[in-house]
């Protein structure tokens, strides 16, 4: 019994001390990916300026109803979106990024409207 236990113990120690190069490579890649994910969560590693666009997204209806126009204005949202320098330079305040007709709403509900996404403001933030 002691001899069997001793053999099992030495065999397990020998097997666990062996290193597989593929496993070591996977561990290194995993650590590199974890570092990249952490850098993305914290806002990146670059120390340069951040280019921020303030975007306004709203829905508009083709209607004579004042109630629908008021509802669209109240439901409009504004948010900030970080972009790269090339895109930041290619747009200006008031640029319409999206103007899509809502075809599904027209077919299903008879509602004529669209989504409008425009650039409200541009800002460069120093880190």
């Amino acid at each position: 019994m002691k001899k069997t236990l001793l053999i099992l113990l030495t065999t397990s120690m020998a097997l666990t001390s062996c290193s597989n190069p593929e496993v070591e490579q996977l561990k290194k890649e995993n650590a590199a990916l974890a570092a990249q994910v952490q850098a993305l969560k914290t806002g990146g590693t670059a120390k340069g300026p951040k280019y921020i666009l303030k975007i306004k997204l709203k829905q508009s209806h083709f209607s004579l109803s004042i109630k629908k126009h008021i509802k669209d204005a109240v439901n409009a949202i504004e948010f900030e979106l970080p972009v790269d320098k090339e895109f930041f330079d290619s747009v200006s305040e008031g640029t319409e990024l999206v103007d899509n007709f809502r075809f599904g709403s027209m077919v299903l509900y008879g509602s004529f409207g669209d989504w409008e996404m425009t650039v409200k403001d541009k800002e460069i933030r120093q880190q």
Side-chain angles (χ1 to χ4, degrees):
M1 179 73 170
K2 287 185 182 182
K3 192 174 188 180
T4 308
L5 186 56
L6 183 60
I7 290 173
L8 283 174
L9 183 59
T10 13
T11 307
S12 66
M13 286 176 53
L15 289 176
T16 57
S17 65
C18 294
S19 65
N20 186 347
E22 292 176 358
V23 171
E24 295 301 321
Q25 181 63 25
L26 287 174
K27 286 181 180 178
K28 288 179 185 176
E29 289 175 6
N30 190 22
L33 287 174
Q36 289 176 355
V37 167
Q38 185 61 31
L40 288 173
K41 286 182 179 178
T42 59
T45 57
K47 298 294 181 189
K50 284 189 175 184
Y51 300 94
I52 308 292
L53 292 180
K54 293 183 182 178
I55 306 291
K56 182 175 185 175
L57 177 65
K58 72 176 212 167
Q59 185 178 12
S60 65
H61 288 90
F62 302 113
S63 171
L64 295 176
S65 171
I66 300 294
K67 182 180 174 183
K68 282 188 179 182
H69 291 288
I70 292 172
K71 181 182 76 168
D72 290 342
V74 170
N75 287 336
I77 61 169
E78 295 179 5
F79 57 95
E80 294 182 346
L81 184 68
V83 296
D84 61 357
K85 183 177 182 347
E86 291 80 23
F87 187 74
F88 184 84
D89 292 337
S90 70
V91 297
S92 60
E93 290 183 30
T95 301
E96 195 167 284
L97 301 174
V98 174
D99 187 12
N100 288 340
F101 181 72
R102 297 172 37 248
F103 185 74
S105 294
M106 182 195 72
V107 171
L108 294 175
Y109 305 112
S111 172
F112 291 93
D114 62 354
W115 290 104
E116 295 176 358
M117 182 183 290
T118 56
V119 177
K120 184 175 180 189
D121 192 20
K122 294 171 59 171
E123 180 180 348
I124 300 175
R125 294 183 187 161
Q126 299 297 327
Q127 293 184 353

